[in-house]
Amino acid sequence: MNHDALPSPTRRRLLQAGAALSLAPPVGRLLAAPAAEGTRLLVVFLRGAYDCCNVLVPTASDFYYQSRPSIAIPRPGQPNGAVALDADWGLHPVLAPTLLPLFQKGQAAFIPFAGTDDLTRSHFETQDGIELGQALSGRRDYGSGFLNRLAQVLGAGPLQEVAPIAFTDQLPLSMRGAARVGNMALGNAGGRGMDARQTADIAAMYGQSPLKGSVAEGFALQDEVRRSIQAEMDQASRNAISAKGFELVARRMARLMRERFDLGFVDVGGWDTHVNQGGSSGYLANRLQELGGGLAGFAEELGEEAWRETVVVVISEFGRTFRENGNKGTDHGHGTVYWVLGGGLAASAGGHVVGRQQALTAATLFQNRDWPVLNEYRALLGGLFQRMYGLSAAQVATVFPGVAPLDLKLV
């Protein structure tokens, strides 16, 4: 078939479908089991800037309750109150069934006052900056994300093989770069894919290309994932599990990462809460309940042995204003709270609120409105990667140029 003679819209669709497949890891890596003693990393990006103040609740701060007359989470012991984590901090009550057990087992930690020094308060600019992981000064290289640089470092040093994947529709900035990365959105993975004719057309287009093997393996991966989850999708419909529920997607991710991928990325949207955010119940509480179920489901689906060798980091582009606004919501802020989960967290971190901290008062707010950033994210992640993979200072500098790692002894 002469593919150059195809009508341009048809040819463009085929090329777009094939482009995602061409990003899959080379043959031999796609189906490889996780390397280096099974070490796995999953980064969960909460797009939209979630309100950390109502997740890790500063229950010791009177100023918090003065600043949020409509949306504050009550103190521990009060109706619908926060669950006490220590003398200063509580957890949103909807996370008690899912995140609290992990915290109590030493498999979850929270890092307040985390984030980037970027001050634009723009979702898109800040998301891009975090995913790239480059210095704020200077020109951005949109072809080099920090997770791709990590994959390159690992593949050339601590690990003989590394198999990265983004569980997204399009390859995220964090995964762009020289290392080959597979990407597949699992939220609709059970839906109708390309038919046999379209698959054959794409395969023929790459038949004489060096990408022939990667394209074939990409189709094989998609077919296998669809087959493996079809029965689960049918069951989900009968049991009225929401198709948009994060837990179902998270369990699929866990199975794939347990068997073959060791470096993953997923993003979860819906966190921009300017209006009617809610407190112990309401919009934000519902999103947190879904997220908590997904993270707990991910850990459970991995199984105890694999969970011990896995670290999950939950991040967001920035936090939200400490004070509620006139619409019973919160606006774009600065510092936020990162979550670190895993079966192998260090005893000094798991079950604790860690990192540099300070009291939250009117005098300590950043620009009289936000959480300050005391734990810069590149330094924080650089220190984590150094411990996880035994990276040298030069290797950390390749991932995050110009950064001195902040070692919080998380693992």
Side-chain angles (χ1 to χ4, degrees):
M1 182 177 184
N2 179 7
H3 298 285
D4 292 329
L6 287 170
S8 58
T10 302
R11 188 167 188 271
R12 182 159 54 250
R13 283 195 298 270
L14 292 174
L15 288 171
Q16 287 171 342
L21 294 173
S22 69
L23 292 168
V27 177
R29 290 191 179 185
L30 183 66
L31 302 179
E37 300 178 356
T39 302
R40 299 168 189 81
L41 171 69
L42 174 67
V43 175
V44 180
F45 200 124
L46 306 183
R47 295 194 188 276
Y50 86 100
D51 181 35
C52 63
C53 220
N54 274 15
V55 174
L56 185 67
V57 185
T59 53
S61 170
D62 291 336
F63 183 56
Y64 165 76
Y65 292 98
Q66 297 164 11
S67 301
R68 297 186 166 214
S70 302
I71 65 171
I73 308 299
R75 285 189 165 98
Q78 297 181 2
N80 302 313
V83 180
L85 299 180
D86 60 26
D88 298 314
W89 302 102
L91 185 67
H92 195 295
V94 299
L95 293 172
T98 54
L99 264 292
L100 183 62
L102 294 175
F103 189 86
Q104 292 171 333
K105 289 189 290 188
Q107 297 178 3
F110 294 99
I111 307 170
F113 307 102
T116 172
D117 292 331
D118 185 303
L119 295 179
T120 63
R121 293 190 176 88
S122 160
H123 290 302
F124 303 116
E125 286 192 41
T126 312
Q127 287 175 17
D128 288 356
I130 286 179
E131 289 195 66
L132 294 174
Q134 301 161 15
L136 292 178
S137 59
R139 183 175 176 272
R140 286 180 172 177
D141 178 2
Y142 283 88
S144 179
F146 81 87
L147 285 175
N148 194 287
R149 295 195 298 274
L150 176 63
Q152 293 176 58
V153 166
L154 296 179
L159 311 188
Q160 294 303 308
E161 300 283 351
V162 60
I165 186 169
F167 299 104
T168 53
D169 284 315
Q170 298 180 348
L171 196 69
L173 286 182
S174 61
M175 286 287 199
R176 292 186 186 178
R180 288 287 185 86
V181 178
N183 79 285
M184 170 180 276
L186 298 183
N188 59 356
R192 183 179 180 273
M194 290 180 290
D195 60 29
R197 180 187 60 78
Q198 291 173 311
T199 300
D201 282 345
I202 292 176
M205 290 172 65
Y206 288 92
Q208 304 302 318
S209 160
L211 296 174
K212 175 182 178 181
S214 291
V215 170
E217 292 290 348
F219 279 131
L221 171 62
Q222 287 188 336
D223 289 343
E224 183 177 342
V225 171
R226 288 191 181 100
R227 286 195 304 271
S228 70
I229 67 174
Q230 187 58 56
E232 185 179 54
M233 291 291 286
D234 293 341
Q235 181 184 15
S237 296
R238 288 192 294 270
N239 294 334
I241 298 175
S242 170
K244 67 179 181 180
F246 179 60
E247 181 174 359
L248 191 58
V249 173
R251 287 182 179 275
R252 295 173 193 155
M253 294 184 336
R255 290 194 291 274
L256 288 169
M257 291 195 71
R258 183 180 63 220
E259 301 299 331
R260 65 187 63 188
F261 297 105
D262 45 24
L263 183 59
F265 175 95
V266 67
D267 47 13
V268 182
W271 303 97
D272 198 18
T273 52
H274 290 281
V275 179
N276 294 330
Q277 174 179 302
S280 298
S281 61
Y283 179 84
L284 178 61
N286 292 340
R287 301 291 80 75
L288 291 172
Q289 190 170 34
E290 295 166 359
L291 178 66
L295 294 171
F298 180 85
E300 182 180 62
E301 196 71 30
L302 269 179
E304 186 176 344
E305 182 177 355
W307 181 235
R308 282 198 300 269
E309 302 295 338
T310 300
V311 174
V312 177
V313 182
V314 181
I315 66 176
S316 194
E317 63 262 39
F318 43 71
R320 306 193 72 82
T321 48
F322 194 80
R323 301 177 181 90
E324 69 177 76
N325 61 27
N327 295 313
K328 299 184 179 180
T330 50
D331 298 318
H332 297 180
H334 188 45
T336 185
V337 175
Y338 285 4
W339 315 5
V340 180
L341 317 173
L345 297 190
S348 59
H352 298 283
V353 179
V354 299
R356 299 164 179 165
Q357 303 175 36
Q358 65 182 32
L360 283 165
T361 67
T364 60
L365 292 186
F366 178 74
Q367 296 182 348
N368 192 35
R369 52 174 283 162
D370 304 324
W371 292 56
V373 170
L374 306 178
N375 302 287
E376 197 271 338
Y377 86 102
R378 295 192 307 153
L380 190 162
L381 294 181
L384 173 63
F385 298 164
Q386 192 171 51
R387 277 193 167 264
M388 283 183 66
Y389 301 108
L391 301 185
S392 67
Q395 289 170 321
V396 173
T398 299
V399 180
F400 294 117
V403 168
L406 173 62
D407 184 8
L408 298 183
K409 298 178 174 58
L410 296 169
V411 295

